[in-house]
C-alpha cells in the first residue's frame, strides 16, 4: 500500500498528526500495536494546556472536551500544613487549566479519524522501518500480529510510537545524542470511586513525600503518592495508601480527604529524557518517542501535541509549496520548546518531592523555593506561565 505519511503509533501524537494532515488534504495511514479497546482504556494524563485545548477546538474534535472537561482557574501548592493557591487564570491573562483525561482525548480522535475515512490498523505486530534515509521510506508490519507481512510505501514516516517503540532506534546510534535523568522515586497512582475532595488540583510537599489530588469526573478521583523507585505495588494495601494520603495532605485548618473504593492502582517511574536530533532522513519523531518528562509538570501529552503541530505545518509547506524549510528545522524548532518544558518538569519535580538523601540545608532550600513561588508575584507568574504552556515559536 502507498500513502503520503506513514504514522507509527495511535497515541495523542499519531492521532493528532493524522487528523491535522487530513484537514490539510494530506493522506496518512496509522499503524498501532495495541487494540482500539486498549488504547481507549489506558489511564494516563489528565491536564491539558490552553494551547492543546485551542488546537483540539480548531480541529473540530473538542466538542465533548468542552462539555465534559473541567476548567480550573488555578491549583494549590501545599507545604508545612498550609495551602497556597496559584491563580493561573489571573496570572496568565485569562487562561484555564483543563482537566480532561487522555483516554477521552484518544476516544475523540479515533472517532474523528474513522468518521473521516482515516485508516488505522490496530493490533499490528512486527513493525519495522526501512530506507528512512532515502526519499522512499517504508514501514513493514503484520496485521493482527500474525497476518502476512505488509508494506506501507510513503514519502515520510512519523515515529509517534512512544518511548519503547521502534522509531527512535531507527536513527543510527552514531547520530543520536540522548540526555537522561532517572529520579530516585516513583508515583503510586490510584483511581477512586468518590466525589472530589477539592475542586482544583493539589500538589503537596510533606516530610514523608509528595502527594497529588486530581479529579477525573464528579464520581472518580485520581490520587498519587510519591514512593521509592524500587517499591512494589504489593507493599501498598488500600489502608496504607489512605493512611499515607491523609498524613501527607493534612492541613492546619483541617482539610478533609474523601475516601472511596480504590478500583485501580499502579506505580509509574519518573524519568526525564531528550533525543537529539528528532529527525533523520525522512523519519520524524514526535511525542514520547523523542522525549519524556516526569508527570509533575503535566507536560507529556501537551508536548506531543506541540511537536505534531510543527510537523504538520512542515509537511503542509512541503506538499502545498514544495518548501522544506520547516521540516529541515524540525529538531531545532521543537527542541527549543521541549528543553524549556523539560526544565519546568524537572523544577516542579525537585521542588515538590522529598529526596530522602537531602541534607537539612537542601530541605531548607526546597521549602524556601516553595515559599518564594507562592509569595512573590514574579515567581508565581513564571510558574503559571510555564504550567499553562509556553507559546510555539517557529
Ligand atoms: C501516570 C501518568 C500521568 C501522566 N500525566 C500527564 C498529564 O497530566 N499531562 C500530560 O500532558 N502528560 C501526562 N503524562 C504523559 C502522557 O501520557 C504522554 O506523554 C503521552 O501519552 C505521549 O503521547 P505519545 O502519542 O507521544 O505516546 P503514547 O501515548 O505512548 O503513544 C504511543 C503509541 O504507540 C504505540 N506503539 C508502541 N510501539 C509500537 C509499535 N512497535 N508499532 C505500532 N505502535 C506502537 C503504543 O501502543 C501507543 O499507543 C502522564 C503519563 C503517565 C504515565
Amino acid at each position: 500500500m502507498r500513502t503520503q505519511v506513514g504514522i507509527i503509533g495511535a497515541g495523542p501524537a499519531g492521532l493528532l498528526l493524522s487528523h491535522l494532515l487530513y484537514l490539510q488534504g494530506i493522506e496518512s495511514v496509522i499503524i498501532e500495536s495495541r487494540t482500539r479497546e486498549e488504547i481507549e482504556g489506558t489511564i494516563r494524563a489528565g491536564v491539558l494546556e490552553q494551547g492543546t485545548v485551542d488546537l483540539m477546538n480548531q480541529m473540530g474534535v473538542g466538542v465533548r472536551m468542552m462539555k465534559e472537561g473541567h476548567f480550573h482557574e488555578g491549583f494549590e501548592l501545599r507545604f508545612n500544613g498550609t495551602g497556597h493557591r496559584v491563580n493561573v487564570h489571573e496570572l496568565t491573562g485569562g487562561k484555564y487549566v483543563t482537566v480532561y483525561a487522555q483516554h477521552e482525548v484518544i476516544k475523540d480522535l479515533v472517532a474523528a479519524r474513522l468518521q473521516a475515512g482515516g485508516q488505522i490498523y490496530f493490533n499490528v505486530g512486527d513493525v519495522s522501518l526501512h530506507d528512512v534515509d532515502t526519499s522512499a521510506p517504508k514501514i513493514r508490519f503484520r496485521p493482527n500480529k500474525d497476518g502476512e507481512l505488509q508494506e506501507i510505501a510513503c514519502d515520510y514516516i512519523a515515529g509517534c510510537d512512544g518511548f519503547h517503540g521502534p522509531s527512535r532506534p531507527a536513527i543510527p546510534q552514531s547520530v543520536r545524542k540522548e540526555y537522561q535523568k532517572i529520579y530516585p522515586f516513583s508515583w503510586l497512582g490510584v483511581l477512586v470511586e468518590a466525589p472530589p475532595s477539592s475542586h482544583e488540583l493539589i500538589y503537596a510537599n510533606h516530610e514523608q513525600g509528595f502527594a497529588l489530588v486530581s479529579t477525573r469526573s464528579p464520581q472518580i478521583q485520581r490520587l498519587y503518592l510519591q514512593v521509592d523507585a524500587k517499591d512494589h505495588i504489593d507493599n501498598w494495601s488500600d489502608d496504607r495508601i489512605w493512611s499515607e494520603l491523609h498524613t501527607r495532605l493534612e492541613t492546619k485548618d483541617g482539610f478533609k480527604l474523601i475516601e472511596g473504593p480504590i478500583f485501580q492502582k499502579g506505580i509509574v517511574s519518573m524519568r526525564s529524557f531528550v533525543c537529539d536530533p528528532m529527525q533523520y532522513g525522512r523519519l520524524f519523531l514526535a511525542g514520547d518517542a523523542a522525549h519524556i518528562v516526569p508527570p509533575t509538570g503535566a507536560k507529556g501529552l501537551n508536548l506531543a501535541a506541540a511537536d505534531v503541530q510543527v510537523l504538520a505545518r512542515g509537511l503542509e509547506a512541503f506538499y502545498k509549496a514544495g518548501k522544506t524549510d520547516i521540516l529541515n528545522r524540525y529538531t531545532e524548532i521543537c527542541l527549543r520548546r521541549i528543553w524549556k518544558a523539560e526544565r519546568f518538569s524537572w523544577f516542579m519535580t525537585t521542588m515538590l518531592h522529598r529526596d530522602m538523601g537531602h541534607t537539612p540545608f537542601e530541605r531548607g532550600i526546597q521549602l524556601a523555593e516553595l515559599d518564594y513561588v507562592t509569595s512573590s508575584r514574579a515567581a508565581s507568574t513564571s510558574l503559571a506561565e510555564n504550567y499553562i504552556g509556553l507559546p510555539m515559536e517557529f
Side-chain angles (χ1 to χ4, degrees):
M1 102 187 67
R2 217 209 112 66
T3 191
Q4 289 174 304
V5 183
I7 301 177
I8 309 176
L15 290 164
L16 281 168
L17 176 65
S18 181
H19 207 61
L20 277 168
L21 294 177
Y22 158 75
L23 294 171
Q24 295 303 328
I26 301 167
E27 279 175 19
S28 66
V29 173
I30 306 181
I31 55 164
E32 164 58 52
S33 57
R34 293 183 296 157
T35 62
R36 181 175 179 185
E37 292 68 35
E38 281 174 304
I39 63 164
E40 291 186 346
T42 306
I43 309 291
R44 292 181 80 180
V47 179
L48 304 182
E49 290 180 353
Q50 183 74 55
T52 307
V53 170
D54 293 345
L55 176 70
M56 298 262 296
N57 283 329
Q58 282 154 18
M59 292 168 70
V61 292
V63 176
R64 208 162 60 90
M65 171 185 71
M66 297 311 285
K67 217 163 76 187
E68 297 175 20
H70 301 270
F71 303 94
H72 298 174
E73 294 192 354
F75 59 85
E76 182 182 317
L77 292 179
R78 187 174 286 185
F79 56 98
N80 285 339
T82 307
H84 305 262
R85 183 155 186 269
V86 178
N87 189 333
V88 173
H89 188 68
E90 193 222 327
L91 293 166
T92 60
K95 293 180 179 162
Y96 289 94
V97 176
T98 301
V99 180
Y100 186 62
Q102 177 166 331
H103 66 283
E104 304 296 349
V105 172
I106 296 281
K107 282 186 208 166
D108 296 342
L109 291 170
V110 169
R113 285 312 302 125
L114 296 180
Q115 203 178 358
Q119 271 182 290
I120 310 177
Y121 289 84
F122 293 104
N123 198 31
V124 304
D126 291 344
V127 174
S128 55
L129 296 85
H130 303 268
D131 305 328
V132 295
D133 55 350
T134 72
S135 56
K138 296 162 198 76
I139 304 168
R140 297 203 182 110
F141 69 100
R142 273 183 216 288
N144 296 319
K145 307 274 190 217
D146 54 3
E148 284 269 298
L149 209 54
Q150 292 209 11
E151 186 173 276
I152 306 176
C154 41
D155 302 328
Y156 290 97
I157 296 177
C160 303
D161 43 3
F163 187 66
H164 301 288
S167 295
R168 192 176 62 257
I171 301 180
Q173 218 160 10
S174 56
V175 176
R176 247 187 300 144
K177 208 166 171 187
E178 296 185 342
Y179 303 82
Q180 174 156 259
K181 177 174 173 63
I182 310 271
Y183 297 85
F185 34 74
S186 297
W187 274 15
L188 188 164
V190 292
L191 279 171
V192 177
E193 217 181 295
S197 300
S198 160
H199 170 58
E200 296 179 339
L201 274 79
I202 302 170
Y203 294 83
N205 174 313
H206 185 270
E207 281 299 322
Q208 284 176 215
F210 169 75
L212 170 61
V213 177
S214 143
T215 285
R216 281 292 177 270
S217 74
Q219 300 80 30
I220 305 217
Q221 309 312 309
R222 184 84 166 132
L223 307 170
Y224 293 99
L225 276 176
Q226 171 188 349
V227 297
D228 188 84
K230 295 192 192 81
D231 214 332
H232 193 275
I233 197 70
D234 294 346
N235 297 329
W236 287 87
S237 65
D238 291 3
D239 284 350
R240 184 175 174 208
I241 291 171
W242 284 119
S243 154
E244 210 47 48
L245 281 167
H246 280 292
T247 302
R248 295 187 195 184
L249 289 162
E250 73 185 2
T251 57
K252 289 172 188 151
D253 58 4
F255 170 74
K256 291 237 174 332
L257 179 68
I258 303 174
E259 290 195 21
I262 293 176
F263 63 93
Q264 197 186 96
K265 55 182 167 184
I267 292 183
V268 284
S269 58
M270 309 273 279
R271 176 200 302 267
S272 297
F273 175 88
V274 177
C275 171
D276 182 357
M278 291 170 62
Q279 178 228 340
Y280 178 70
R282 292 283 182 114
L283 166 65
F284 290 80
L285 305 181
D288 279 15
H291 41 75
I292 294 287
V293 282
T296 331
K299 289 280 164 254
L301 186 162
N302 297 294
L303 282 176
D307 290 351
V308 297
Q309 283 181 79
V310 179
L311 186 50
R313 187 116 48 117
L315 290 167
E316 186 193 341
F318 171 74
Y319 283 110
K320 291 196 175 153
K323 289 191 177 158
T324 55
D325 54 322
I326 295 179
L327 290 179
N328 293 343
R329 289 193 300 118
Y330 177 72
T331 293
E332 178 199 323
I333 297 169
C334 291
L335 280 187
R336 212 176 146 208
R337 191 171 182 281
I338 287 160
W339 272 114
K340 285 180 220 155
E342 290 281 346
R343 183 207 69 83
F344 178 68
S345 302
W346 164 86
F347 162 76
M348 286 286 277
T349 303
T350 7
M351 177 171 72
L352 286 162
H353 290 72
R354 281 287 282 121
D355 184 332
M356 298 311 167
H358 267 175
T359 60
F361 173 81
E362 287 160 324
R363 175 70 175 144
I365 293 289
Q366 190 184 46
L367 290 169
E369 181 92 66
L370 281 160
D371 187 13
Y372 178 55
V373 297
T374 50
S375 60
S376 149
R377 189 170 173 89
S380 302
T381 305
S382 164
L383 182 73
E385 177 186 49
N386 280 277
Y387 192 82
I388 212 70
L390 295 173
M392 297 279 292
E393 289 168 296
F394 281 85

